[in-house]
Amino acid sequence: MPRRSRLLAPVAATVVVIIAVLMFAANFWTDYKWFNSIGYTSVFLTELWTRVLLFAVAALVMAIIVGASIFFAYRARPRNRPMSLEQQGLDRYRQSIDPHRKLFFWIAVGALALLAGAAASGDWRSYLQFVNGVDFGVNDPEFGMDIAFFAFTYPFLRILLGYLYAAVILAFIAAVIVHYLYGGVRLQNDSGQRATPAARVHLSVLLGLFVLLRAGSYWLDRYGLVFSDRGYTFGASYTDVNAVKTALTILTVISVICAVLFFANIVFKNTMIPVASLGLLVLSGVVVGVAYPEIVQRFQVSPNEQRLESPYIERNIESTREAYGIADAEVETYDATTELTPQELAAEADTIPSVRLADPAVVSQTFQQMQQVRGFYQFPDVLEVDRYPDSDGNLIDTIVAVRELDGPPADQNNWLNRHLIYTHGFGMVAAAGNLIDDEGRPVFTEYNIPPRGELSDVVGEYEPRIYYGREGADYVIVQAEEEYDHPLDPAAEEPDVPTLEDAVEASPSPDEARAPSDGAEESPAAEDTEGAEGAEATEEGDEDTPAGGSQAYNRYDGDGGVPLNNFFDRILYAIKYQETSILLNSAITSDSRILYERDPLDRVEKVAPFLTVDSRPYPAVVEGKVVWIVDAYTTSDGYPYAKRIDFTQAVSDTFTDGSVQQVGALPGNEVNYIRNSVKATVDAYDGTVTLYGWDDEDPVLKTWEGAFPGTVVSKDEMSDELVQHLRYPDDLFKVQREIMREYHVTDASSYYGGQDFWEVPNDPTREGETSEPPYRQTINYPGSDEPSFSLTTTFVPNNRENLAAFMAVDSNPESDDYGRLKLLELPRSTVIFGPGQVQNAFDSDADVREVLLPLEQSNAEVTRGNLLTLPFAGGLLYVEPLYVQAGGGGAASFPLLQQVMVGFGEEVAIGSNLQDALNNLFEGEGGESPLPEPDAEEGSEEETSEAGSGDSEPSDLTEALNEAVEAWEEAQEANEEANERLREALEAVEEAAGN
């Protein structure tokens, strides 16, 4: 073989190794710098040293056990091997191996040690929980041991046993191979001695260790019965407690005896002893461990399952309800009214303005069209619902989103623009959830660039730039090139938006109104002129904007990101992102900073790898800055008797569509314990991550705080303004409703029958078999003194569509009822339409069809909004907004709310707004409307008093009339015929003004 060819493979291997080492080093060092930049170096180092410790211990143990076994097998090789055909055949292998046996030894031992260490380092979470475990203060019902043993200690002991098993088995295999190669073990032997005494002793010791470990495993399996799925419910069943537990105890004793017999063979050196021991172990495993429990299950339990399993079903119910935080749920039988008189409806009129008509999943398109400003800005497909005070200080449901940067324009999507110029989004956009303008658009309370509106008047000025969000490039470099900030004259380019001021001042006729009459509250006029807005934008961008430019530029002045202090750092990041431009771009200096891990979920996951984050982070304006609020959970799959569920499947619905990402303390998706123990915030400008301990009684959180001290701060450090924006998390509520489907039943006999189990209904407004999402809305819960901001859902019976229950949780953290699940359970004797049935009634009702048919037959696209269910007047009211979007309008069209459908009992109706729909639903005698129509004259008086009271200037109408009167008086003397025509015109003006 030519010399060049012989060198090719080693050189290629060397290059691959060097590249791999460089990539590893770059990722490692940049990770450290990232943690250091945000003040969580302790998390990085704790995880690192724990991994190193486990790697070293596991590798060392594996190397010692396997290496000692190989070494002993070689030292115990027979000096004089019999000259058999088998041995003659092995001579060739021995001659090939012997000159390199040390190399083979270290390669084999080293490879096994590396594999064991790598596997063990991945179990660092279990080790930290084992070392720092905190008691739950609750004992399991079978063994009387604290739950902490099963959540923290038991999993680590199982892992430890697994590694020792693997080491002993590999040591045994390695010993057999070496003994066979060197004649200590023979497959063919005329004398009948297939193993030398030394080999027999060696293998007997290893088998004895294996069986001893098996004894420990049998004993530990007794505690693992609390996670058994043999019985009717999860957890130890009758058979487990009365048969399997006893069998495992017997097998433990037999295993110890067999291990002693294997060790005794060191003295007796009789092949029959280990063979007999193995036979006894296998036989007892089959008879005692398998046959006996199966007999008990089949002939004792199955014929009497309900009676015998009842105590264990009770354990399962109690543990599951406690583990998922539903044990304190308030259940109330709700005799829902199905008929309502006009007088009863009128008495409920004050609740109408609080109904959220704007669907966050539909108005996203409206936000995109009316507030995108530039094509490279982006809003999420599903917006969020938060609460902000109006001008009177009352909190109202508000649809919120931030204007994030999706990337540079398509024709300018190069590295420089993507990572240095287009670096951030700009501004918060908000709309009142319960107001729609007369064209069907949401009423904006925060809008345009720079941001202005009712929200800004309440919260004051805030930093609008969004450097950390859910969209955009994976990294950006700031303090290098000038960054695109915002257009300078948005007023000239943006469409006029409906604002809260407009909603207050407008006086629409009843047929044109789209907002409830009580929902438009008076507010001070915002400073609103195109000139003022343009002046503000110019002033802000003047310093960094070239003359005549149409956009402002900005240079980041925050502390976010990692400083690129030197050329070595740039090399590391160039390797990390495989981008040479980081090295070659001359604008990048020692003052530049690189911002990465910009998604708020990724940031929280990284600084708190022991948490599982909620899939719905949401932005809020707090203390002059935009922050992302992220709910985070401590989870476990080690709560005895509690049912395990697939987390990803439980939180999937119309909005998530199965795309939820499971991250956190569990390597898989199964959980059977969850707490919303942490509320996290991520600053949208500088990326600061703060973890607040929300549930300070959670033992899992206390355990992790012991492992990562100082990482989680007390919730007392939250500002009052931040607390106002906290809410009950979506994913936790979805998990709880999944559990509540079955575990609202607390009686063991009823649970066994399963007749009362529920289902989460499919979303009737969307195609496909996806669960209806929970909805955030302000509701008047029966028995409550005032409306509450809540997260709500419905249940239907198994294989039926009528409503079974309505569940809500108070989502206002300042309320004493925050986090308390409340369940309205409907009587089984009363049929209340469920969501699917109500949707079917909407689609089939003649009056509804009369309104919808022209829309559906036209070129317009009709979209059904969220079907809200809420307690109303002693019953349950369904409200569904109906959106219409111009067909064929392309990207420029967006949905407008044109109709509202309502259902109560078995009756449905449609109207141009909620008030109109309710009047159609509960029309009184003689056709009068139970709800009062908006008072147009009163609204006009308000407008007049606002615009013309005191010393203010006369209105335009007044000026026009005064000028007309003066002209008429002057014209009287000139032309009688003209005077008559002018008189008639003025009478028409006065008549029009009066109407």
Side-chain angles (χ1 to χ4, degrees):
M1 180 182 295
R3 180 178 178 83
R4 183 177 299 176
S5 300
R6 291 199 305 268
L7 292 176
L8 183 60
V11 170
T14 302
V15 170
V16 170
V17 170
I18 291 174
I19 292 174
V21 170
L22 286 175
M23 291 295 297
F24 174 80
N27 283 304
F28 175 83
W29 188 245
T30 54
D31 271 355
Y32 172 77
K33 292 180 74 68
W34 184 87
F35 277 98
N36 186 55
S37 70
I38 61 172
Y40 284 90
T41 311
S42 60
V43 174
F44 178 84
L45 294 178
T46 298
E47 180 181 342
L48 173 64
W49 292 123
T50 304
R51 285 179 175 272
V52 169
L53 173 65
L54 294 176
F55 181 94
V57 171
L60 184 62
V61 170
M62 179 66 73
I64 289 175
I65 293 176
V66 176
S69 180
I70 294 174
F71 178 77
F72 183 83
Y74 179 75
R75 290 293 299 271
R77 68 190 185 281
R79 300 300 178 183
N80 298 312
R81 291 182 291 273
M83 298 303 295
S84 63
L85 292 176
E86 180 184 10
Q87 291 301 314
Q88 291 176 5
L90 291 173
D91 279 340
R92 290 175 297 173
Y93 293 101
R94 282 194 292 269
Q95 291 171 4
S96 300
I97 292 173
D98 266 344
H100 310 288
R101 63 178 182 275
K102 289 185 179 181
L103 178 62
F104 285 121
F105 171 80
W106 288 113
I107 289 176
V109 172
L112 292 175
L114 288 174
L115 290 174
S121 67
D123 293 316
W124 63 273
R125 293 183 179 90
S126 295
Y127 171 76
L128 288 178
Q129 286 186 313
F130 170 73
V131 173
N132 299 281
V134 173
D135 286 348
F136 279 65
V138 178
N139 294 337
D140 85 286
E142 180 58 34
F143 297 96
M145 302 180 69
D146 192 273
I147 302 299
F149 171 81
F150 301 95
F152 307 138
T153 305
Y154 174 81
F156 183 73
L157 293 179
R158 290 235 66 103
I159 291 171
L160 188 61
L161 268 176
Y163 283 113
L164 292 175
Y165 262 131
V168 171
I169 290 173
L170 290 172
F172 181 82
I173 294 172
V176 170
I177 293 173
V178 175
H179 279 302
Y180 179 68
L181 284 174
Y182 288 94
V185 173
R186 299 179 288 275
L187 299 179
Q188 300 173 3
N189 196 329
D190 296 336
S191 64
Q193 290 286 52
R194 298 185 180 274
T196 63
R200 203 160 43 238
V201 168
H202 184 194
L203 298 179
S204 293
V205 169
L206 290 175
L207 287 173
L209 289 173
F210 175 82
V211 175
L212 197 60
L213 290 172
R214 191 65 187 134
S217 181
Y218 280 136
W219 185 257
L220 197 59
D221 285 344
R222 296 169 68 254
Y223 299 103
L225 291 175
V226 297
F227 306 119
S228 170
D229 56 2
R230 179 193 298 271
Y232 186 78
T233 54
F234 186 81
S237 64
Y238 179 91
T239 301
D240 292 321
V241 172
N242 295 278
V244 178
K245 184 179 176 183
T246 303
L248 290 172
T249 304
I250 295 172
L251 289 173
T252 301
V253 174
I254 292 174
S255 297
V256 171
I257 294 172
C258 290
V260 171
L261 291 175
F262 277 113
F263 293 139
N265 196 45
I266 298 174
V267 178
F268 296 108
K269 299 177 181 178
N270 190 329
T271 307
M272 292 303 298
I273 293 178
V275 172
S277 299
L278 284 175
L280 176 61
L281 193 64
V282 172
L283 181 62
S284 59
V286 173
V287 175
V288 180
V290 178
Y292 172 54
E294 184 63 27
I295 291 171
V296 171
Q297 177 68 32
R298 180 167 298 185
F299 296 103
Q300 186 175 353
V301 176
S302 294
N304 308 282
E305 188 173 46
Q306 181 175 351
R307 178 175 59 84
L308 295 180
E309 293 286 8
S310 287
Y312 307 101
I313 295 175
E314 289 177 359
R315 292 180 179 181
N316 171 264
I317 293 173
E318 181 179 350
S319 296
T320 301
R321 289 173 62 86
E322 182 62 35
Y324 289 96
I326 67 172
D328 296 329
E330 296 180 3
V331 182
E332 174 186 348
T333 300
Y334 190 58
D335 297 323
T337 301
T338 57
E339 296 181 359
L340 199 64
T341 65
Q343 293 75 20
E344 291 171 327
L345 174 63
E348 296 290 326
D350 60 337
T351 67
I352 293 174
S354 66
V355 177
R356 178 181 58 75
L357 294 178
D359 183 349
V362 178
V363 298
S364 173
Q365 299 179 55
T366 308
F367 272 52
Q368 192 76 13
Q369 288 299 322
M370 302 191 68
Q371 285 298 301
Q372 186 182 25
V373 182
R374 290 290 190 270
F376 41 77
Y377 287 126
Q378 183 69 33
F379 292 101
D381 292 336
V382 180
L383 307 182
E384 295 297 334
V385 182
D386 197 357
R387 293 149 296 150
Y388 283 93
D390 59 15
S391 57
D392 295 328
N394 300 315
L395 292 174
I396 60 173
D397 293 0
T398 305
I399 311 299
V400 297
V402 290
R403 189 183 288 104
E404 293 196 61
L405 188 71
D406 192 31
D411 57 346
Q412 302 174 22
N413 191 10
N414 53 55
W415 181 86
L416 182 66
N417 279 331
R418 189 165 56 252
H419 297 286
L420 272 70
I421 306 297
Y422 292 86
T423 58
H424 60 278
F426 203 98
M428 176 82 102
V429 179
N434 60 340
L435 293 177
I436 302 296
D437 81 331
D438 57 358
E439 293 184 19
R441 302 173 298 179
V443 175
F444 287 92
T445 58
E446 187 74 353
Y447 51 92
N448 287 3
I449 296 179
R452 61 189 176 91
E454 191 78 7
L455 187 147
S456 288
D457 294 339
V458 173
V459 303
E461 293 185 2
Y462 62 92
E463 173 56 64
R465 295 171 181 86
I466 310 298
Y467 280 89
Y468 292 87
R470 308 219 65 193
E471 303 291 341
D474 51 352
Y475 70 93
V476 295
I477 299 174
V478 296
Q479 296 181 12
E481 299 282 358
E482 287 189 329
E483 307 159 36
Y484 175 85
D485 202 33
H486 61 79
L488 272 182
D489 190 15
E493 301 181 27
E494 293 176 358
D496 292 335
V497 297
T499 66
L500 192 57
E501 180 188 355
D502 299 333
V504 171
E505 293 181 352
S507 299
S509 67
D511 291 336
E512 295 173 341
R514 289 294 183 271
S517 59
D518 295 336
E521 301 184 10
E522 186 176 348
S523 66
E527 297 180 7
D528 180 17
T529 64
E530 294 184 3
E533 182 183 354
E536 181 182 356
T538 304
E539 180 179 353
E540 181 174 348
D542 185 52
E543 185 173 323
D544 294 324
T545 307
S550 61
Q551 57 271 334
Y553 291 90
N554 176 68
R555 293 187 74 89
Y556 182 75
D557 61 358
D559 296 327
V562 178
L564 296 174
N565 292 328
N566 50 64
F567 194 71
F568 177 72
D569 288 338
R570 293 171 66 177
I571 292 174
L572 290 177
Y573 285 102
I575 294 174
K576 178 182 178 70
Y577 292 110
Q578 301 178 39
E579 179 54 66
T580 57
S581 296
I582 297 177
L583 288 175
L584 302 178
N585 187 283
S586 58
I588 301 175
T589 67
S590 59
D591 294 328
S592 300
R593 310 175 75 91
I594 181 168
L595 281 56
Y596 55 106
E597 300 291 352
R598 301 170 68 203
D599 189 310
L601 293 187
D602 294 340
R603 295 181 75 80
V604 175
E605 290 163 5
K606 198 159 186 174
V607 302
F610 48 88
L611 295 175
T612 298
V613 296
D614 192 271
S615 59
R616 299 285 296 275
Y618 58 99
V621 177
V622 178
E623 298 179 326
K625 55 188 178 182
V626 177
V627 298
W628 292 92
I629 300 177
V630 182
D631 285 286
Y633 313 113
T634 45
T635 57
S636 174
D637 61 353
Y639 201 98
Y641 280 98
K643 178 180 179 179
R644 289 175 177 169
I645 63 171
D646 186 291
F647 183 88
T648 301
Q649 184 176 351
V651 302
S652 297
D653 57 24
T654 299
F655 292 161
T656 61
D657 194 24
S659 60
V660 175
Q661 189 175 356
Q662 168 72 9
V663 186
L666 297 180
N669 289 327
E670 283 199 338
V671 299
N672 70 350
Y673 173 91
I674 185 170
R675 290 290 185 272
N676 178 210
S677 53
V678 171
K679 302 281 189 180
T681 61
V682 178
D683 192 311
Y685 187 69
D686 63 22
T688 300
V689 180
T690 308
L691 307 176
Y692 298 96
W694 184 247
D695 185 353
D696 50 15
E697 298 299 321
D698 176 29
V700 181
L701 179 61
K702 291 180 180 179
T703 295
W704 287 119
E705 286 180 316
F708 298 96
T711 303
V712 180
V713 301
S714 172
K715 64 181 177 183
D716 295 335
E717 297 187 23
M718 287 185 179
S719 66
D720 292 339
E721 192 173 350
L722 173 59
V723 171
Q724 287 182 354
H725 293 285
L726 301 182
R727 65 188 195 185
Y728 200 76
D730 290 75
D731 288 352
L732 175 60
F733 187 71
K734 293 176 190 177
V735 167
Q736 289 176 322
R737 77 171 178 178
E738 176 66 19
I739 293 299
M740 191 66 81
R741 294 190 309 103
E742 297 181 4
Y743 289 91
H744 67 280
V745 179
T746 57
D747 177 71
S749 299
S750 300
Y751 186 94
Y752 181 85
Q755 297 92 345
D756 295 331
F757 288 171
W758 299 334
E759 294 289 344
V760 176
N762 291 328
D763 188 347
T765 66
R766 302 290 190 271
E767 296 182 0
E769 300 290 325
T770 57
S771 297
E772 185 178 50
Y775 294 121
R776 293 191 183 277
Q777 53 182 327
T778 297
I779 63 172
N780 282 355
Y781 195 86
S784 298
D785 297 331
E786 56 185 20
S788 60
F789 181 61
S790 302
L791 194 55
T792 66
T793 190
T794 57
F795 296 99
V796 296
N798 275 351
N799 302 318
R800 293 166 60 194
E801 293 296 328
N802 59 286
L803 197 64
F806 172 86
M807 187 170 77
V809 62
D810 194 321
S811 197
N812 179 12
E814 297 178 309
S815 168
D816 293 337
D817 285 338
Y818 172 81
R820 183 173 299 169
L821 297 173
K822 297 181 179 181
L823 197 66
L824 297 178
E825 191 170 351
L826 303 179
R828 299 172 184 82
S829 58
T830 303
V831 177
I832 305 295
F833 274 5
Q837 292 173 317
V838 168
Q839 188 65 57
N840 183 67
F842 287 154
D843 294 340
S844 58
D845 183 79
D847 293 334
V848 174
R849 294 299 304 162
E850 184 178 355
V851 174
L852 295 186
L853 192 59
L855 297 174
E856 293 174 344
Q857 289 180 342
S858 69
N859 196 30
E861 179 181 343
V862 179
T863 301
R864 289 166 170 78
N866 44 209
L867 179 58
L868 301 177
T869 309
L870 61 154
F872 183 81
L876 288 167
L877 177 70
Y878 288 97
V879 178
E880 182 179 307
L882 197 71
Y883 294 83
V884 178
Q885 183 172 353
S893 66
F894 54 87
L896 300 173
L897 195 154
Q898 296 297 306
Q899 299 290 327
V900 177
M901 298 184 289
V902 295
F904 192 88
E906 297 184 8
E907 301 297 326
V908 297
I910 192 171
S912 58
N913 55 66
L914 179 58
Q915 177 179 284
D916 186 26
L918 289 174
N919 281 333
N920 292 336
L921 186 66
F922 303 110
E923 190 174 12
E925 296 179 2
E928 71 272 13
S929 298
L931 296 176
E933 299 289 356
D935 193 338
E937 293 183 5
E938 184 176 321
S940 297
E941 290 175 6
E942 282 186 13
E943 182 180 355
T944 303
S945 65
E946 243 182 70
S949 62
D951 298 330
S952 60
E953 295 287 335
S955 68
D956 293 340
L957 178 60
T958 303
E959 291 179 356
L961 288 175
N962 289 339
E963 291 176 2
V965 169
E966 291 176 2
W968 177 67
E969 291 175 349
E970 293 175 359
Q972 275 185 324
E973 301 176 357
N975 191 321
E976 184 175 351
E977 182 179 354
N979 290 343
E980 185 64 24
R981 290 202 309 272
L982 182 58
R983 183 183 298 107
E984 292 174 357
L986 285 174
E987 289 175 355
V989 169
E990 292 176 350
E991 182 179 357
N995 292 337

